[in-house]
Amino acid sequence: MADRAERIVIENCAVATVDAEDTEYASGHVVVADHRIESVGAGPAPGGLDGVVRRVDGTGHLATPGLVNTHHHFYQWITRGLAQDCNLFNWLVTLYPVWARIDEQMVHAAAQGSLAMMARGGVTTAMDHHYVFPQGAGDLLGAEIRAARDMGVRFTAARGSMDRGESDGGLPPDFAVESTEDALRATEEAVDRHHDASFGSMLHIAVAPCSPFSVTTELLREAAVLARRKGVRLHTHGSETVEEEKFCHELFGKGPTDYLDSTGWLGEDVWMAHCVHMNDSDIAAFARTGTGVAHCPSSNARLAAGIARVPDMLASGVPVGLGVDGTASNESGELHTELRNALLVNRLGEHREKALNVRQALRLGTRGGARVLGRTAEIGSLEAGKLADLVLWKLDGLGHSSIADPVAALVLGAAAPVTLSLVNGRPVVEDGRLVTADEDAIARSTRDEARRLARIADGAR
Protein backbone atom coordinates (compact mmCIF):
# COMPACT_ATOMS: atom_id res chain seq x y z
CA MET A 1 0.00 0.00 0.00
CA ALA A 2 1.30 3.45 -0.84
CA ASP A 3 1.69 5.95 1.98
CA ARG A 4 -0.84 8.17 0.22
CA ALA A 5 -3.59 5.67 1.01
CA GLU A 6 -6.52 6.87 3.12
CA ARG A 7 -6.68 4.73 6.22
CA ILE A 8 -9.46 3.80 8.64
CA VAL A 9 -8.24 2.40 11.96
CA ILE A 10 -10.53 0.28 14.15
CA GLU A 11 -9.14 -0.60 17.59
CA ASN A 12 -10.02 -2.06 21.00
CA CYS A 13 -12.56 -4.54 19.64
CA ALA A 14 -12.79 -8.30 19.69
CA VAL A 15 -11.89 -9.65 16.25
CA ALA A 16 -13.06 -12.89 14.62
CA THR A 17 -11.06 -13.12 11.41
CA VAL A 18 -12.67 -16.35 10.12
CA ASP A 19 -9.38 -17.12 8.40
CA ALA A 20 -8.23 -20.69 7.73
CA GLU A 21 -7.16 -21.07 11.38
CA ASP A 22 -10.19 -19.24 12.85
CA THR A 23 -7.83 -16.70 14.43
CA GLU A 24 -9.47 -14.49 17.04
CA TYR A 25 -8.30 -11.60 19.20
CA ALA A 26 -9.96 -10.64 22.48
CA SER A 27 -8.81 -7.08 21.87
CA GLY A 28 -7.40 -6.23 18.50
CA HIS A 29 -7.37 -3.91 15.52
CA VAL A 30 -8.15 -3.74 11.83
CA VAL A 31 -6.52 -1.20 9.54
CA VAL A 32 -8.16 -0.43 6.21
CA ALA A 33 -6.18 1.32 3.47
CA ASP A 34 -8.40 2.54 0.65
CA HIS A 35 -10.38 -0.53 -0.50
CA ARG A 36 -8.35 -3.26 1.20
CA ILE A 37 -7.50 -4.57 4.63
CA GLU A 38 -3.93 -3.58 5.43
CA SER A 39 -3.43 -5.29 8.78
CA VAL A 40 -5.30 -7.29 11.43
CA GLY A 41 -3.87 -8.22 14.79
CA ALA A 42 -3.87 -8.15 18.56
CA GLY A 43 -3.72 -4.95 20.57
CA PRO A 44 -3.65 -1.41 19.17
CA ALA A 45 -2.94 -0.62 15.54
CA PRO A 46 0.68 0.00 14.55
CA GLY A 47 1.92 3.49 15.30
CA GLY A 48 3.07 6.05 12.77
CA LEU A 49 0.40 5.36 10.16
CA ASP A 50 0.03 8.10 7.57
CA GLY A 51 -3.19 9.18 5.94
CA VAL A 52 -5.50 8.16 8.80
CA VAL A 53 -8.85 9.78 8.01
CA ARG A 54 -10.80 8.04 10.75
CA ARG A 55 -10.20 6.25 14.03
CA VAL A 56 -12.94 4.07 15.51
CA ASP A 57 -12.91 3.00 19.16
CA GLY A 58 -14.36 -0.50 18.99
CA THR A 59 -14.65 -1.05 22.74
CA GLY A 60 -17.59 -3.39 23.41
CA HIS A 61 -17.74 -4.50 19.78
CA LEU A 62 -16.88 -7.52 17.63
CA ALA A 63 -15.34 -7.09 14.19
CA THR A 64 -16.12 -9.80 11.62
CA PRO A 65 -16.01 -10.16 7.86
CA GLY A 66 -19.10 -8.79 6.17
CA LEU A 67 -21.88 -11.32 5.73
CA VAL A 68 -22.30 -12.94 2.31
CA ASN A 69 -25.79 -13.82 1.10
CA THR A 70 -25.87 -16.69 -1.39
CA HIS A 71 -29.57 -16.94 -2.31
CA HIS A 72 -32.40 -14.43 -2.57
CA HIS A 73 -35.36 -13.26 -4.68
CA PHE A 74 -35.56 -9.49 -4.27
CA TYR A 75 -38.86 -9.04 -6.11
CA GLN A 76 -40.68 -10.99 -3.39
CA TRP A 77 -40.24 -8.06 -0.97
CA ILE A 78 -43.56 -6.70 -2.27
CA THR A 79 -45.45 -10.00 -1.80
CA ARG A 80 -44.53 -10.73 1.81
CA GLY A 81 -47.06 -12.29 4.17
CA LEU A 82 -49.05 -14.14 1.50
CA ALA A 83 -49.75 -17.89 1.24
CA GLN A 84 -48.82 -18.22 4.88
CA ASP A 85 -49.69 -21.90 5.39
CA CYS A 86 -48.56 -23.57 2.16
CA ASN A 87 -45.86 -25.98 1.17
CA LEU A 88 -43.54 -24.95 -1.66
CA PHE A 89 -45.59 -26.19 -4.62
CA ASN A 90 -48.90 -24.74 -3.35
CA TRP A 91 -47.11 -21.51 -2.42
CA LEU A 92 -45.70 -21.23 -5.94
CA VAL A 93 -49.04 -21.98 -7.59
CA THR A 94 -50.64 -19.26 -5.44
CA LEU A 95 -47.99 -16.62 -6.08
CA TYR A 96 -46.84 -17.17 -9.68
CA PRO A 97 -49.92 -15.38 -11.11
CA VAL A 98 -49.13 -12.38 -8.86
CA TRP A 99 -45.41 -12.34 -9.66
CA ALA A 100 -46.18 -12.47 -13.37
CA ARG A 101 -47.54 -8.88 -13.06
CA ILE A 102 -44.33 -7.27 -11.83
CA ASP A 103 -42.69 -4.41 -13.71
CA GLU A 104 -39.42 -2.48 -13.60
CA GLN A 105 -40.62 0.09 -11.06
CA MET A 106 -41.84 -2.64 -8.71
CA VAL A 107 -38.63 -4.62 -9.00
CA HIS A 108 -36.48 -1.56 -8.32
CA ALA A 109 -38.44 -0.74 -5.17
CA ALA A 110 -38.38 -4.38 -4.03
CA ALA A 111 -34.63 -4.59 -4.63
CA GLN A 112 -34.12 -1.44 -2.58
CA GLY A 113 -36.13 -2.92 0.28
CA SER A 114 -34.34 -6.25 0.18
CA LEU A 115 -30.89 -4.69 -0.05
CA ALA A 116 -31.58 -2.12 2.66
CA MET A 117 -32.71 -4.76 5.14
CA MET A 118 -29.71 -6.96 4.46
CA ALA A 119 -27.16 -4.15 4.50
CA ARG A 120 -28.50 -2.78 7.76
CA GLY A 121 -27.99 -6.25 9.21
CA GLY A 122 -24.36 -6.71 8.19
CA VAL A 123 -24.55 -8.06 4.63
CA THR A 124 -21.79 -6.64 2.45
CA THR A 125 -22.15 -9.03 -0.50
CA ALA A 126 -25.69 -9.57 -1.74
CA MET A 127 -26.96 -12.06 -4.29
CA ASP A 128 -30.24 -12.26 -6.13
CA HIS A 129 -31.81 -14.95 -8.30
CA HIS A 130 -34.35 -13.25 -10.56
CA TYR A 131 -36.22 -15.54 -12.92
CA VAL A 132 -39.63 -13.90 -13.60
CA PHE A 133 -39.53 -11.77 -16.79
CA PRO A 134 -43.05 -10.89 -17.98
CA GLN A 135 -43.17 -9.47 -21.50
CA GLY A 136 -43.13 -5.69 -21.59
CA ALA A 137 -42.10 -5.38 -17.93
CA GLY A 138 -38.95 -3.35 -18.63
CA ASP A 139 -35.34 -3.92 -17.61
CA LEU A 140 -35.86 -5.95 -14.46
CA LEU A 141 -32.28 -7.13 -14.00
CA GLY A 142 -31.04 -3.60 -14.61
CA ALA A 143 -33.41 -2.31 -11.93
CA GLU A 144 -31.77 -4.60 -9.38
CA ILE A 145 -28.27 -3.71 -10.50
CA ARG A 146 -29.03 0.02 -10.13
CA ALA A 147 -30.40 -0.54 -6.64
CA ALA A 148 -27.30 -2.47 -5.52
CA ARG A 149 -24.95 0.09 -7.04
CA ASP A 150 -26.72 2.97 -5.30
CA MET A 151 -26.78 1.08 -1.97
CA GLY A 152 -23.04 0.48 -2.24
CA VAL A 153 -23.04 -3.28 -1.68
CA ARG A 154 -21.16 -5.94 -3.62
CA PHE A 155 -23.61 -7.88 -5.80
CA THR A 156 -24.00 -11.16 -7.66
CA ALA A 157 -26.99 -10.94 -9.99
CA ALA A 158 -28.12 -14.38 -11.12
CA ARG A 159 -30.05 -14.00 -14.38
CA GLY A 160 -32.74 -16.64 -13.98
CA SER A 161 -35.21 -18.05 -16.47
CA MET A 162 -38.23 -20.32 -16.85
CA ASP A 163 -39.34 -21.98 -20.09
CA ARG A 164 -41.59 -24.79 -18.79
CA GLY A 165 -45.11 -23.51 -18.22
CA GLU A 166 -48.23 -25.33 -17.12
CA SER A 167 -49.00 -26.63 -20.59
CA ASP A 168 -45.59 -28.39 -20.62
CA GLY A 169 -46.00 -29.92 -17.17
CA GLY A 170 -44.36 -27.11 -15.22
CA LEU A 171 -45.71 -25.05 -12.33
CA PRO A 172 -45.64 -21.44 -13.61
CA PRO A 173 -48.50 -20.17 -15.82
CA ASP A 174 -47.61 -20.09 -19.50
CA PHE A 175 -47.68 -16.28 -19.68
CA ALA A 176 -44.96 -16.10 -16.98
CA VAL A 177 -42.29 -18.03 -18.90
CA GLU A 178 -39.87 -17.22 -21.74
CA SER A 179 -38.99 -19.32 -24.75
CA THR A 180 -35.78 -21.31 -24.45
CA GLU A 181 -34.12 -19.19 -27.14
CA ASP A 182 -35.20 -15.88 -25.58
CA ALA A 183 -33.98 -16.95 -22.13
CA LEU A 184 -30.56 -17.96 -23.40
CA ARG A 185 -30.18 -14.84 -25.52
CA ALA A 186 -31.14 -12.50 -22.68
CA THR A 187 -28.85 -14.32 -20.27
CA GLU A 188 -25.87 -13.99 -22.59
CA GLU A 189 -26.65 -10.31 -23.10
CA ALA A 190 -26.73 -9.80 -19.32
CA VAL A 191 -23.30 -11.40 -18.94
CA ASP A 192 -21.82 -9.38 -21.79
CA ARG A 193 -23.27 -6.11 -20.53
CA HIS A 194 -22.77 -6.35 -16.79
CA HIS A 195 -20.30 -9.00 -15.61
CA ASP A 196 -17.04 -7.63 -14.19
CA ALA A 197 -14.50 -10.38 -13.54
CA SER A 198 -11.77 -8.10 -12.17
CA PHE A 199 -10.39 -8.38 -8.62
CA GLY A 200 -12.57 -6.31 -6.31
CA SER A 201 -15.50 -6.30 -8.72
CA MET A 202 -18.73 -4.91 -7.35
CA LEU A 203 -20.86 -6.86 -9.83
CA HIS A 204 -20.89 -10.48 -10.98
CA ILE A 205 -23.49 -12.12 -13.22
CA ALA A 206 -24.41 -15.80 -12.87
CA VAL A 207 -26.44 -18.03 -15.20
CA ALA A 208 -29.46 -19.31 -13.28
CA PRO A 209 -32.40 -21.27 -14.77
CA CYS A 210 -34.96 -21.44 -11.99
CA SER A 211 -35.49 -25.11 -11.07
CA PRO A 212 -36.00 -28.59 -12.51
CA PHE A 213 -39.78 -28.15 -12.38
CA SER A 214 -39.89 -24.82 -14.24
CA VAL A 215 -37.27 -25.23 -16.99
CA THR A 216 -36.69 -27.70 -19.79
CA THR A 217 -33.77 -30.07 -20.03
CA GLU A 218 -32.63 -28.17 -23.11
CA LEU A 219 -32.44 -24.89 -21.20
CA LEU A 220 -30.46 -26.48 -18.39
CA ARG A 221 -27.95 -28.05 -20.77
CA GLU A 222 -27.52 -24.99 -22.95
CA ALA A 223 -27.29 -22.69 -19.93
CA ALA A 224 -24.41 -24.75 -18.56
CA VAL A 225 -22.63 -24.54 -21.90
CA LEU A 226 -23.23 -20.79 -22.03
CA ALA A 227 -21.93 -20.17 -18.50
CA ARG A 228 -18.74 -22.13 -19.09
CA ARG A 229 -18.15 -20.44 -22.42
CA LYS A 230 -18.46 -17.06 -20.68
CA GLY A 231 -16.55 -18.06 -17.55
CA VAL A 232 -19.33 -17.29 -15.07
CA ARG A 233 -20.98 -19.31 -12.34
CA LEU A 234 -24.17 -21.39 -12.41
CA HIS A 235 -27.02 -21.31 -9.91
CA THR A 236 -30.40 -23.03 -9.51
CA HIS A 237 -32.72 -24.57 -6.93
CA GLY A 238 -32.18 -28.21 -6.03
CA SER A 239 -33.68 -30.93 -3.81
CA GLU A 240 -35.82 -28.46 -1.88
CA THR A 241 -38.87 -30.63 -1.11
CA VAL A 242 -40.17 -34.19 -1.22
CA GLU A 243 -42.63 -33.01 -3.87
CA GLU A 244 -39.70 -31.97 -6.08
CA GLU A 245 -38.09 -35.38 -5.57
CA LYS A 246 -41.33 -37.05 -6.70
CA PHE A 247 -41.69 -34.65 -9.65
CA CYS A 248 -38.19 -35.41 -10.92
CA HIS A 249 -38.64 -39.18 -10.62
CA GLU A 250 -41.97 -39.03 -12.48
CA LEU A 251 -40.75 -36.71 -15.24
CA PHE A 252 -37.09 -37.70 -15.64
CA GLY A 253 -36.83 -41.14 -14.01
CA LYS A 254 -34.23 -39.99 -11.48
CA GLY A 255 -33.78 -37.74 -8.46
CA PRO A 256 -32.84 -34.04 -8.68
CA THR A 257 -29.08 -34.51 -8.16
CA ASP A 258 -28.74 -37.27 -10.75
CA TYR A 259 -30.91 -35.33 -13.17
CA LEU A 260 -28.92 -32.13 -12.76
CA ASP A 261 -25.69 -34.09 -13.09
CA SER A 262 -26.93 -35.49 -16.41
CA THR A 263 -27.38 -31.93 -17.72
CA GLY A 264 -23.89 -30.74 -16.73
CA TRP A 265 -24.97 -29.06 -13.52
CA LEU A 266 -22.43 -30.33 -11.00
CA GLY A 267 -19.04 -28.67 -10.59
CA GLU A 268 -16.95 -26.13 -8.71
CA ASP A 269 -18.63 -23.34 -10.70
CA VAL A 270 -22.13 -24.39 -9.54
CA TRP A 271 -24.10 -23.71 -6.38
CA MET A 272 -27.67 -24.74 -5.61
CA ALA A 273 -30.23 -23.37 -3.19
CA HIS A 274 -31.73 -25.42 -0.35
CA CYS A 275 -30.59 -29.03 -1.01
CA VAL A 276 -32.80 -30.24 1.82
CA HIS A 277 -33.54 -33.76 0.59
CA MET A 278 -30.09 -35.12 -0.17
CA ASN A 279 -29.13 -38.76 0.36
CA ASP A 280 -25.57 -39.99 0.99
CA SER A 281 -24.96 -40.45 -2.72
CA ASP A 282 -26.12 -36.90 -3.46
CA ILE A 283 -23.82 -35.42 -0.82
CA ALA A 284 -20.91 -37.50 -2.10
CA ALA A 285 -21.54 -36.21 -5.64
CA PHE A 286 -21.54 -32.59 -4.43
CA ALA A 287 -18.35 -33.17 -2.44
CA ARG A 288 -16.60 -34.93 -5.32
CA THR A 289 -17.43 -32.17 -7.79
CA GLY A 290 -17.14 -29.18 -5.44
CA THR A 291 -20.76 -28.15 -6.04
CA GLY A 292 -21.88 -25.56 -3.48
CA VAL A 293 -25.03 -25.19 -1.39
CA ALA A 294 -26.96 -22.11 -0.27
CA HIS A 295 -28.53 -23.13 3.05
CA CYS A 296 -31.76 -21.23 3.81
CA PRO A 297 -32.99 -22.46 7.22
CA SER A 298 -35.77 -19.93 7.81
CA SER A 299 -37.32 -20.36 4.37
CA ASN A 300 -37.06 -24.13 4.64
CA ALA A 301 -38.98 -23.94 7.92
CA ARG A 302 -41.54 -21.40 6.63
CA LEU A 303 -42.45 -23.74 3.74
CA ALA A 304 -42.12 -26.92 5.83
CA ALA A 305 -39.49 -28.21 3.41
CA GLY A 306 -37.39 -29.98 6.05
CA ILE A 307 -33.92 -29.82 7.59
CA ALA A 308 -30.94 -29.84 5.25
CA ARG A 309 -28.09 -32.17 6.21
CA VAL A 310 -25.59 -29.36 6.68
CA PRO A 311 -23.36 -31.16 9.22
CA ASP A 312 -22.97 -34.10 6.82
CA MET A 313 -22.28 -31.75 3.92
CA LEU A 314 -19.58 -29.94 5.85
CA ALA A 315 -18.03 -33.19 7.04
CA SER A 316 -17.86 -34.34 3.41
CA GLY A 317 -16.26 -31.10 2.22
CA VAL A 318 -19.27 -29.62 0.41
CA PRO A 319 -19.02 -25.81 0.17
CA VAL A 320 -21.96 -24.32 2.15
CA GLY A 321 -23.06 -20.72 2.58
CA LEU A 322 -26.20 -19.08 3.96
CA GLY A 323 -29.13 -17.56 2.10
CA VAL A 324 -32.03 -15.35 3.08
CA ASP A 325 -34.17 -16.69 0.22
CA GLY A 326 -37.06 -14.64 -1.07
CA THR A 327 -38.91 -12.55 1.46
CA ALA A 328 -42.23 -14.15 0.56
CA SER A 329 -40.88 -17.20 2.41
CA ASN A 330 -38.59 -15.39 4.89
CA GLU A 331 -40.36 -12.16 5.72
CA SER A 332 -37.56 -10.86 7.96
CA GLY A 333 -35.30 -10.43 4.93
CA GLU A 334 -32.20 -10.58 7.13
CA LEU A 335 -29.14 -12.80 6.94
CA HIS A 336 -27.65 -12.26 10.40
CA THR A 337 -30.65 -14.02 11.94
CA GLU A 338 -29.82 -17.01 9.72
CA LEU A 339 -26.62 -17.55 11.72
CA ARG A 340 -28.74 -18.38 14.74
CA ASN A 341 -31.42 -20.24 12.82
CA ALA A 342 -28.88 -22.40 11.00
CA LEU A 343 -27.45 -23.52 14.32
CA LEU A 344 -30.82 -24.09 16.00
CA VAL A 345 -32.57 -25.82 13.09
CA ASN A 346 -29.68 -28.18 12.45
CA ARG A 347 -29.63 -29.17 16.14
CA LEU A 348 -33.16 -30.49 15.62
CA GLY A 349 -31.68 -33.05 13.21
CA GLU A 350 -30.01 -36.34 13.98
CA HIS A 351 -26.71 -34.77 15.10
CA ARG A 352 -28.52 -32.81 17.81
CA GLU A 353 -26.21 -30.60 19.93
CA LYS A 354 -23.17 -31.66 17.89
CA ALA A 355 -24.65 -30.44 14.59
CA LEU A 356 -23.16 -26.93 14.46
CA ASN A 357 -21.37 -24.61 16.87
CA VAL A 358 -21.37 -20.80 16.88
CA ARG A 359 -18.11 -20.47 14.98
CA GLN A 360 -19.25 -22.84 12.27
CA ALA A 361 -22.42 -20.76 11.94
CA LEU A 362 -20.39 -17.56 11.55
CA ARG A 363 -18.19 -19.28 8.98
CA LEU A 364 -21.25 -20.31 6.94
CA GLY A 365 -22.33 -16.68 6.76
CA THR A 366 -18.92 -15.29 5.80
CA ARG A 367 -16.11 -17.47 4.43
CA GLY A 368 -18.55 -20.22 3.42
CA GLY A 369 -20.61 -17.80 1.38
CA ALA A 370 -17.51 -16.37 -0.26
CA ARG A 371 -16.46 -19.87 -1.32
CA VAL A 372 -19.89 -20.64 -2.74
CA LEU A 373 -19.76 -17.45 -4.83
CA GLY A 374 -16.18 -18.15 -5.92
CA ARG A 375 -14.69 -15.15 -4.11
CA THR A 376 -12.54 -16.53 -1.28
CA ALA A 377 -9.48 -14.70 -2.59
CA GLU A 378 -11.28 -11.39 -2.10
CA ILE A 379 -13.82 -11.57 0.75
CA GLY A 380 -15.13 -13.77 3.57
CA SER A 381 -12.33 -13.28 6.12
CA LEU A 382 -10.38 -10.45 7.73
CA GLU A 383 -6.90 -10.84 6.27
CA ALA A 384 -4.31 -8.42 4.93
CA GLY A 385 -4.78 -7.92 1.21
CA LYS A 386 -8.45 -8.84 1.10
CA LEU A 387 -11.17 -6.36 0.27
CA ALA A 388 -12.31 -4.12 3.11
CA ASP A 389 -15.77 -5.64 3.61
CA LEU A 390 -16.26 -5.80 7.37
CA VAL A 391 -18.80 -5.25 10.12
CA LEU A 392 -18.46 -3.88 13.64
CA TRP A 393 -21.20 -5.36 15.83
CA LYS A 394 -22.23 -3.64 19.09
CA LEU A 395 -22.25 -6.23 21.88
CA ASP A 396 -22.13 -4.13 25.06
CA GLY A 397 -25.84 -3.34 25.16
CA LEU A 398 -28.71 -5.01 27.00
CA GLY A 399 -29.09 -7.89 24.58
CA HIS A 400 -25.48 -9.08 24.67
CA SER A 401 -23.37 -7.59 27.48
CA SER A 402 -23.62 -10.58 29.84
CA ILE A 403 -22.37 -13.09 27.21
CA ALA A 404 -18.60 -13.38 27.63
CA ASP A 405 -17.91 -15.06 24.27
CA PRO A 406 -18.46 -12.39 21.58
CA VAL A 407 -19.06 -14.90 18.78
CA ALA A 408 -21.67 -16.67 20.91
CA ALA A 409 -23.23 -13.29 21.67
CA LEU A 410 -23.49 -12.54 17.95
CA VAL A 411 -24.86 -15.94 16.93
CA LEU A 412 -27.01 -16.95 19.90
CA GLY A 413 -28.09 -13.55 21.19
CA ALA A 414 -30.62 -11.09 19.86
CA ALA A 415 -29.94 -9.52 16.47
CA ALA A 416 -26.90 -7.36 17.19
CA PRO A 417 -26.86 -3.69 16.15
CA VAL A 418 -24.36 -2.73 13.45
CA THR A 419 -22.25 0.24 14.49
CA LEU A 420 -20.25 0.29 11.27
CA SER A 421 -20.35 -1.67 8.02
CA LEU A 422 -17.75 -1.09 5.34
CA VAL A 423 -17.98 -2.31 1.76
CA ASN A 424 -14.84 -1.77 -0.27
CA GLY A 425 -13.64 0.44 2.57
CA ARG A 426 -16.65 2.75 2.37
CA PRO A 427 -19.31 3.11 5.09
CA VAL A 428 -22.72 1.70 4.19
CA VAL A 429 -24.15 1.57 7.73
CA GLU A 430 -23.39 3.80 10.71
CA ASP A 431 -24.95 3.36 14.14
CA GLY A 432 -27.64 1.03 12.85
CA ARG A 433 -28.79 3.23 9.96
CA LEU A 434 -28.03 3.18 6.27
CA VAL A 435 -25.87 6.06 5.09
CA THR A 436 -26.27 5.33 1.38
CA ALA A 437 -30.08 5.35 1.21
CA ASP A 438 -33.17 6.80 2.88
CA GLU A 439 -34.78 3.94 4.81
CA ASP A 440 -38.06 5.80 5.33
CA ALA A 441 -38.39 6.61 1.64
CA ILE A 442 -37.72 2.96 0.76
CA ALA A 443 -40.37 1.82 3.23
CA ARG A 444 -42.92 4.12 1.60
CA SER A 445 -42.06 3.09 -1.94
CA THR A 446 -42.13 -0.64 -1.21
CA ARG A 447 -45.52 -0.26 0.51
CA ASP A 448 -46.91 1.64 -2.47
CA GLU A 449 -45.55 -0.85 -5.00
CA ALA A 450 -46.87 -3.81 -2.99
CA ARG A 451 -50.33 -2.25 -3.04
CA ARG A 452 -50.10 -1.48 -6.76
CA LEU A 453 -49.10 -5.05 -7.56
CA ALA A 454 -51.94 -6.40 -5.43
CA ARG A 455 -54.46 -4.21 -7.30
CA ILE A 456 -53.14 -5.30 -10.70
CA ALA A 457 -53.13 -8.99 -9.74
CA ASP A 458 -56.66 -8.78 -8.32
CA GLY A 459 -57.87 -7.10 -11.50
CA ALA A 460 -56.36 -9.87 -13.64
CA ARG A 461 -58.22 -12.67 -11.88
Side-chain angles (χ1 to χ4, degrees):
M1 295 288 181
D3 289 338
R4 293 190 302 274
E6 292 188 347
R7 290 180 168 86
I8 298 174
V9 176
I10 303 170
E11 299 177 289
N12 306 320
C13 56
V15 180
T17 68
V18 201
D19 63 10
E21 291 76 36
D22 277 328
T23 305
E24 296 182 17
Y25 304 105
S27 180
H29 69 271
V30 182
V31 177
V32 170
D34 291 333
H35 305 306
R36 297 204 195 188
I37 297 169
E38 185 174 59
S39 67
V40 183
L49 293 174
D50 294 326
V52 176
V53 297
R54 182 174 182 183
R55 286 188 178 271
V56 179
D57 181 1
T59 301
H61 289 73
L62 170 68
T64 73
L67 301 184
V68 179
N69 185 28
T70 61
H71 186 64
H72 211 308
H73 307 296
F74 289 173
Y75 73 91
Q76 293 180 15
W77 187 266
I78 56 174
T79 59
R80 295 192 297 167
L82 305 178
Q84 297 172 18
D85 303 310
C86 293
N87 64 23
L88 174 67
F89 275 25
N90 292 335
W91 177 84
L92 289 171
V93 168
T94 301
L95 291 176
Y96 269 141
V98 179
W99 295 337
R101 309 296 173 181
I102 60 176
D103 60 27
E104 184 174 343
Q105 183 173 315
M106 292 175 189
V107 169
H108 184 259
Q112 286 183 311
S114 297
L115 288 160
M117 201 68 187
M118 285 189 292
R120 201 178 68 170
V123 169
T124 55
T125 296
M127 176 273 174
D128 190 63
H129 183 192
H130 189 89
Y131 52 83
V132 181
F133 291 92
Q135 291 186 1
D139 184 3
L140 305 188
L141 194 71
E144 296 190 326
I145 290 170
R146 292 196 311 274
R149 180 194 61 217
D150 293 344
M151 197 75 64
V153 300
R154 213 173 295 282
F155 186 37
T156 293
R159 205 293 180 181
S161 51
M162 299 187 294
D163 70 338
R164 184 193 293 276
E166 285 180 305
S167 62
D168 293 323
L171 284 183
D174 287 346
F175 63 83
V177 304
E178 301 172 281
S179 71
T180 306
E181 295 77 15
D182 286 346
L184 290 167
R185 180 170 56 252
T187 301
E188 184 163 6
E189 289 173 355
V191 175
D192 290 342
R193 181 179 178 186
H194 297 295
H195 183 67
D196 177 5
S198 65
F199 185 94
S201 166
M202 294 295 289
L203 178 61
H204 282 185
I205 303 296
V207 173
C210 181
S211 65
F213 49 82
S214 59
V215 304
T216 62
T217 301
E218 180 186 2
L219 179 54
L220 281 173
R221 286 179 175 153
E222 292 303 316
V225 171
L226 167 62
R228 287 169 180 138
R229 175 164 53 84
K230 293 292 182 178
V232 299
R233 299 181 77 76
L234 289 146
H235 180 60
T236 192
H237 296 85
S239 300
E240 186 173 358
T241 65
V242 292
E243 291 83 7
E244 179 187 343
E245 180 87 16
K246 180 180 178 182
F247 181 95
C248 287
H249 275 286
E250 289 178 350
L251 204 61
F252 311 120
K254 59 188 71 174
T257 298
D258 289 338
Y259 171 62
L260 288 164
D261 188 18
S262 74
T263 62
W265 271 76
L266 294 186
E268 292 183 354
D269 55 353
V270 179
W271 85 103
M272 298 188 197
H274 303 294
C275 299
V276 174
H277 297 277
M278 302 265 283
N279 59 34
D280 289 347
S281 176
D282 296 332
I283 292 174
F286 272 52
R288 182 179 66 254
T289 58
T291 306
V293 171
H295 177 45
C296 306
S298 293
S299 176
N300 294 343
R302 162 76 152 83
L303 296 176
I307 302 172
R309 296 174 58 187
V310 172
D312 297 326
M313 294 178 192
L314 294 175
S316 298
V318 175
V320 182
L322 291 181
V324 171
D325 201 13
T327 47
S329 63
N330 180 2
E331 277 76 2
S332 76
E334 296 180 309
L335 190 69
H336 63 314
T337 54
E338 298 304 285
L339 303 176
R340 185 173 191 264
N341 290 344
L343 184 147
L344 297 181
V345 167
N346 280 281
R347 287 190 177 188
L348 294 174
E350 64 180 27
H351 295 280
R352 303 182 64 185
E353 71 275 8
K354 302 298 184 183
L356 289 177
N357 61 43
V358 296
R359 283 162 177 81
Q360 287 175 308
L362 178 59
R363 178 171 285 263
L364 289 177
T366 53
R367 192 181 186 94
R371 183 182 177 193
V372 164
L373 296 184
R375 305 201 69 166
T376 50
E378 301 168 283
I379 60 174
S381 60
L382 300 181
E383 300 180 76
K386 286 200 171 184
L387 300 172
D389 293 7
L390 62 90
V391 180
L392 196 61
W393 308 89
K394 181 177 174 58
L395 299 179
D396 59 358
L398 177 63
H400 307 88
S401 63
S402 60
I403 305 176
D405 178 350
V407 177
L410 176 66
V411 174
L412 295 177
V418 173
T419 292
L420 178 65
S421 176
L422 301 179
V423 181
N424 229 29
R426 297 170 179 164
V428 172
V429 178
E430 299 254 17
D431 296 322
R433 296 284 293 184
L434 290 169
V435 298
T436 55
D438 184 336
E439 294 181 25
D440 296 330
I442 291 173
R444 289 191 297 271
S445 68
T446 55
R447 177 198 61 203
D448 293 345
E449 292 305 314
R451 291 175 177 175
R452 185 165 72 91
L453 176 58
R455 289 195 300 270
I456 293 171
D458 286 343
R461 289 194 177 101

